[in-house]
């Protein structure tokens, strides 16, 4: 085969060294240089029928922004992304690109796909370094006079708020916590998503004219019906994760056993890593177990390490290839010295004389043959009980639905797990004028899927309010 | 929704509220009473519900049960004891100062109905929480016997207020300096002997007191409710920090409570979990005075 130009390998993102990063909360990958970004963007084949865009839940014009990067038009590239994605600095960092845009990249068939995520992060950071985040990057449509309430300021809520504000609607956002950003703030650690970046993205959404109330818990402070009666023609519910799941094991309420949500909220939202400068403490043992195999489990394990744990072990009941965490996160955790006990499942916790956790009793598991859906289950190996010492445990096995809004909104239909029943294409709930998306509909999922749900709902809300067929794209930059 | 029930969101200036409107120190200055301007919360607060507050940026999120509200003035009342850094900081706020954050009302309102004869038992700042719930029962025309206990006379709070909403009030002090000498459980024991038609008992106070009350009514099979106050973070059904074993099942105080059946609560576990960060509390205080 004839090869015209020399093959350029995929760029490697510079990172903090392992020995330094496990002692700080700074971001691990440090970002591409301009030269790296231009070279990487030039690898894009500019496909006529770009598969990557189909792989993107919010349909970012990927070849379009990559071409602008190649031409060194970084600001224009950022605006190209912001036509479809209000949170590029977040998505460039936490999206599982390997399962989405980059998975579909034609370059990936024979070699390495184009580093779309790195480049998205690059242009978002470049833009932030050049211009003020509180100036809208896109033109706003003239005011429509319609008012929309968005409940929850996480990725899904921010997307809906931004999309509808650009379309000229008056958007008010209600956040239960004292800080905006939802899981981006309380859940994802600083070393993976610096809080300053979340703050910048929130300021951007605010710059579009979105009004934000913190410390406001819809379902209690105001009911959904009261919002509707207050002249909001539409309400979007993006409440996020609910109560953490536990395994209902003996000893699970011993001191020293946390849910992932509690552990991460203490550290991230309440900044316990700065204790005693910040008032909220966190206890981290010397020898920590994290139960679970998702991104949240990796976040907990790597956070515990940075807080001074001597030994951190991830305990997961299946094997490495079934782990739901991003490959990149597993690799980073392994590099940092996190230990993995695969095919291991806790069955009870043992206490010391002061009722703190001292050890975990667990069973070895084995994988069964794949079932009809191709999924491999696990069964315990009889007689394989063993006791492993741990002085703290973080349970990261997922969350359930938050009950608060449903309890005070009787005509909102939920399924047997408490998740909202919605029309998948629009996010419309059983209650007229009320839409929902993100974890409160799907259960624990990714930032970008919550944003994708927000994008669909924003279109449906716009259509409901104005009768317009939903616009394919927001207006071009001025 | 009926027109007269409509509350205009615009009518509330969120960020001018959270102001301390009244402050007084009671019980030999061991308990602080504060009236806080939070119109949205005052409008909705029901007996048994709580707020979460932060004193300042970087401060802890602390749950405080609402002990009274005035929807017309837009205020709620809380009582607290200085037990650690955050409550010490709260005490430094004076009339006119603002809390950084106040969010609520949180938790399930207690189910209040007419049941007949009720005994309401309060100890320490628990009496303040008890008062709000007692008021709600009073409105439904129940026969209410209030029992308020403290170590000594000067530590008794809310006697006058409780007398206004109870049919009988029994005061007990450990040293006999006021009312009957003894513990609240002694007074409760007398009530249980005197009346055979007690339908409900509420106990709110220190965990040891609530446990003792529940143990005392268990053989009589009288429904006994308690209001729990575990450590919380978000208080909105997200973090799971406030889990408590009720009937052997982990329940979450912030969305399932804070009122629970006292006969089902594992008080010992809750007491241990409340002590989980005690050593940090000391470090936190020492850091501030250094």
């Amino acid at each position: 085969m004839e090869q015209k130009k020399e093959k350029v390998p995929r760029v490697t993102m510079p990172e903090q060294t392992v020995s330094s990063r496990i002692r700080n909360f700074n971001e691990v990958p440090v970002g591409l240089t301009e030269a790296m970004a231009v070279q990487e963007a030039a690898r894009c084949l500019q496909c006529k029928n770009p598969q990557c865009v189909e792989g993107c839940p919010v349909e970012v014009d990927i070849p379009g922004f990559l071409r602008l990067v190649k031409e060194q038009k970084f600001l224009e590239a950022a605006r190209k992304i912001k036509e479809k994605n209000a949170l590029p600095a977040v998505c460039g960092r936490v999206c599982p690109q390997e399962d989405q845009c980059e998975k579909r990249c034609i370059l990936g068939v024979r070699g390495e796909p184009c580093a779309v995520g790195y480049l998205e992060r690059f242009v978002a950071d470049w833009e932030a370094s050049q211009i003020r985040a509180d100036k809208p990057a896109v033109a706003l449509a003239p005011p429509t006079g319609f008012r929309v309430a968005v409940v929850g300021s996480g990725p899904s809520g921010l997307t809906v708020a931004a999309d509808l504000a650009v379309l000229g609607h008056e958007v008010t956002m209600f956040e239960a916590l004292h800080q905006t950003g939802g899981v981006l703030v309380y859940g994802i650690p600083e070393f993976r998503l610096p809080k300053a970046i979340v703050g910048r993205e929130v300021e951007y959404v605010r710059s579009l004219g979105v009004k934000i109330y913190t410390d406001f818990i819809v379902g209690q402070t105001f009911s959904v019906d009261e919002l509707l009666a207050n002249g909001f023609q539409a309400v979007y519910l993006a409440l996020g994760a609910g109560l953490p799941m536990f395994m209902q094991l003996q000893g699970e309420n011993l001191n020293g056993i946390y849910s992932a949500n509690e552990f991460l909220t203490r550290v991230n939202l309440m900044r316990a890593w700065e204790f005693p400068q910040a008032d909220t403490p966190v206890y981290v043992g010397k020898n920590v177990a994290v139960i679970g195999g998702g991104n949240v489990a990796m976040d907990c394990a790597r956070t515990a390490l940075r807080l001074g744990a001597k030994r951190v072990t991830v305990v997961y009941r299946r094997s490495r290839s079934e782990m739901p965490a991003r490959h990149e996160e597993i690799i980073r955790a392994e590099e940092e010295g996190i230990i993995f006990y695969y095919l291991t499942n806790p069955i009870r916790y043992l206490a010391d004389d002061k009722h703190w956790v001292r050890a975990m009793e667990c069973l070895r598991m084995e994988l069964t043959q794949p079932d009809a859906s191709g999924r491999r289950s696990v069964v315990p190996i009889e007689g394989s009980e063993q006791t492993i010492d741990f002085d703290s445990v973080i349970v990261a096995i997922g969350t359930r639905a938050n009950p608060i809004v449903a309890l005070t909104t009787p005509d909102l239909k939920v399924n047997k797990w408490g998740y909202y029943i919605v029309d998948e294409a629009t996010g419309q709930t059983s209650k007229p004028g009320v839409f929902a998306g993100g974890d409160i509909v799907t259960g624990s999922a990714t930032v970008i899927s919550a944003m994708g749900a927000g994008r669909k709902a924003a279109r449906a809300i716009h259509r409901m309010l104005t009768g317009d067929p939903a616009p394919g794209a927001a207006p071009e930059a001025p | 929704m009926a027109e007269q029930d409509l509350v205009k969101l615009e009518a509330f200036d969120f960020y001018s509220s959270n102001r301390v409107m009244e402050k007084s120190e009671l019980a030999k200055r061991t308990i602080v009473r504060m009236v806080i301007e939070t119109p949205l919360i005052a409008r909705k607060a029901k007996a048994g519900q709580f707020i979460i507050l932060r004193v300042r940026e970087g401060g802890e999120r602390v749950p405080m049960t609402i002990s009274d509200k005035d929807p017309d003035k837009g205020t709620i009342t809380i009582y607290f004891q200085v037990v650690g850094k955050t409550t010490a900081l709260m005490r430094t706020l004076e009339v006119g100062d603002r809390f950084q954050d106040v969010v609520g009302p949180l938790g399930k309102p207690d189910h209040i109905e007419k049941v007949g004869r009720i005994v309401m038992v309060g100890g320490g700042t628990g009496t303040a929480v008890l008062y709000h719930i007692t008021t709600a029962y009073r409105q439904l025309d129940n026969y209410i016997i209030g029992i308020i206990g403290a170590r000594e006379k000067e530590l008794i709070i809310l006697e006058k207020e409780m007398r206004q909403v109870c049919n009988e009030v029994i005061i007990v002090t450990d040293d006999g300096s006021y009312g009957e000498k003894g513990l609240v459980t002694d007074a409760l024991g007398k009530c249980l002997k005197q009346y055979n038609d007690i339908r409900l008992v509420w106990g709110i106070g220190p965990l040891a007191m609530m446990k003792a009350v529940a143990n005392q009514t268990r053989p009589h099979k009288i429904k006994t409710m308690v209001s729990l106050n575990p450590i919380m973070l978000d208080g909105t059904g997200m973090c799971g920090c406030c889990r408590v074993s009720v009937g052997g099942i982990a329940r979450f105080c912030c969305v399932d409570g804070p009122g629970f059946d006292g006969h089902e609560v594992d008080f010992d576990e809750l007491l241990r979990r409340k002590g989980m960060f005690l050593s940090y509390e000391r470090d936190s205080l020492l850091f501030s005075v250094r």
Side-chain angles (χ1 to χ4, degrees), chain B residues 138 142-146 162-169:
Chain B
R138 179 70 210 175
N142 289 285
Y143 186 94
I144 303 172
I145 304 164
M162 281 298 279
R163 284 197 188 281
Q164 281 165 3
V165 291
C166 295
N167 299 78
E168 301 173 36
V169 171

Side-chain angles (χ1 to χ4, degrees), chain A residues 147 178 213-215 220-222 226 230 242-243 252-253 255 257 259 261 266 279 283 355 400 402, chain B residues 7 9-10 14 43-44 56 58 61 85 101 104-105 236-239 243 245 269 272-273 277 280:
Chain A
R147 298 177 69 208
H178 57 263
Y213 291 133
T214 52
D215 291 329
Q220 297 268 36
T221 316
F222 252 65
E226 281 176 299
N230 250 280
L243 289 161
E252 219 169 17
N253 292 347
N255 284 4
I257 302 185
S259 74
N261 275 2
R266 281 183 181 277
D279 291 342
Y283 159 81
H355 296 278
R400 294 183 296 162
N402 188 305
Chain B
V7 172
L9 194 56
E10 286 77 11
F14 297 90
R43 182 178 73 93
K44 279 291 183 77
R56 53 170 190 179
R61 293 174 65 93
K85 180 168 177 178
D101 301 275
T236 64
M238 187 272 283
C239 83
R243 63 191 190 275
S245 294
E269 179 191 279
R272 293 192 294 263
R273 287 183 60 80
F277 295 98
Y280 292 87

Side-chain angles (χ1 to χ4, degrees), chain A residues 109-129:
Chain A
V109 177
R110 294 226 154 168
E112 289 287 308
C114 188
V116 179
Y118 293 175
L119 290 165
E120 182 181 28
R121 168 182 162 158
F122 169 80
V123 295
D125 289 356
W126 196 91
E127 183 200 24
S129 71

Side-chain angles (χ1 to χ4, degrees), chain A residues 189-206:
Chain A
E190 180 79 17
F191 58 83
R192 208 148 75 75
L193 179 62
K195 299 309 150 223
I197 286 167
V198 181
R200 207 166 74 201
E201 307 274 49
V202 171
E203 279 318 300
Y204 171 69
V205 172
R206 219 192 282 268

Side-chain angles (χ1 to χ4, degrees), chain B residues 100-152:
Chain B
Q100 180 76 32
D101 301 275
V102 182
V103 59
L106 299 167
K108 259 190 194 156
D110 289 305
H111 180 65
I112 309 287
E113 56 184 342
K114 176 157 184 178
V115 290
R117 198 181 304 276
I118 304 176
V119 183
M120 306 294 287
V121 185
T125 51
T127 307
V129 177
L130 189 82
Y131 169 68
H132 197 197
I133 299 172
T134 308
T135 310
Y137 278 107
R138 179 70 210 175
Q139 281 159 3
L140 295 181
D141 213 21
N142 289 285
Y143 186 94
I144 303 172
I145 304 164
I147 300 175
I148 313 174
R151 219 167 44 240
E152 54 181 298

Side-chain angles (χ1 to χ4, degrees), chain A residues 147 174 176-178 186 212-217 220-223 225-227 229-230 232 241-244 246 248 252-259 261-262 265-266 269-270 275-284 354-356 400 402-404 407, chain B residues 1 5-10 12 14-15 40 43-44 49 54 56-61 85-86 89 100-108 231 233-234 236-241 243-245 250 252 254-255 269 272-273 275-277 280-281 283-284 287:
Chain A
R147 298 177 69 208
F174 299 94
L177 294 174
H178 57 263
Y186 77 75
I212 303 176
Y213 291 133
T214 52
D215 291 329
F216 193 111
I217 178 158
Q220 297 268 36
T221 316
F222 252 65
S223 68
D225 284 316
E226 281 176 299
L227 289 179
N230 250 280
F232 290 104
L243 289 161
F246 287 94
Q248 313 300 338
E252 219 169 17
N253 292 347
L254 288 172
N255 284 4
I257 302 185
Y258 293 107
S259 74
N261 275 2
E262 178 185 353
T265 302
R266 281 183 181 277
L269 177 71
M270 306 310 293
F275 180 86
Q277 277 90 349
D279 291 342
T280 304
V282 66
Y283 159 81
V284 184
K354 293 193 173 71
H355 296 278
W356 282 73
R400 294 183 296 162
N402 188 305
I404 289 180
L407 276 173
Chain B
M1 178 170 297
D5 295 336
L6 177 62
V7 172
K8 284 282 181 202
L9 194 56
E10 286 77 11
F12 299 94
F14 297 90
Y15 300 102
L40 280 172
R43 182 178 73 93
K44 279 291 183 77
Q49 290 190 298
R54 285 200 316 159
R56 53 170 190 179
E57 201 49 65
E60 289 180 285
R61 293 174 65 93
K85 180 168 177 178
T86 298
L89 286 170
Q100 180 76 32
D101 301 275
V102 182
V103 59
L106 299 167
K108 259 190 194 156
I231 299 173
L233 276 182
D234 68 297
T236 64
M238 187 272 283
C239 83
C241 168
R243 63 191 190 275
V244 47
S245 294
F252 298 96
C254 70
V255 289
E269 179 191 279
R272 293 192 294 263
R273 287 183 60 80
M276 188 159 155
F277 295 98
Y280 292 87
E281 192 68 55
D283 293 346
S284 190
F287 173 79

Side-chain angles (χ1 to χ4, degrees), chain A residues 18-96:
Chain A
V18 171
S19 58
S20 73
R21 79 195 195 209
I22 59 171
R23 282 194 289 270
N24 66 50
F25 272 81
N26 299 337
E27 223 179 340
V28 171
V30 296
L32 300 180
T33 62
E34 286 185 20
M36 285 171 165
V38 171
Q39 182 186 312
E40 181 63 19
R43 292 179 66 230
C44 172
L45 297 174
Q46 294 290 321
C47 302
K48 285 277 173 292
N49 178 20
Q51 294 298 303
C52 51
V53 179
E54 283 180 32
C56 175
V58 295
E59 304 148 27
V60 167
D61 177 1
I62 294 166
F65 99 77
L66 292 181
R67 189 176 54 242
L68 290 164
V69 174
K70 183 180 149 192
E71 294 166 2
Q72 303 194 34
K73 294 177 180 163
F74 304 133
L75 197 59
E76 290 82 349
R79 287 179 173 164
K80 178 59 75 183
I81 299 175
K82 279 191 169 169
E83 287 172 11
K84 292 295 177 76
N85 182 348
L87 316 173
V90 171
C91 289
R93 288 172 166 83
V94 304
C95 264

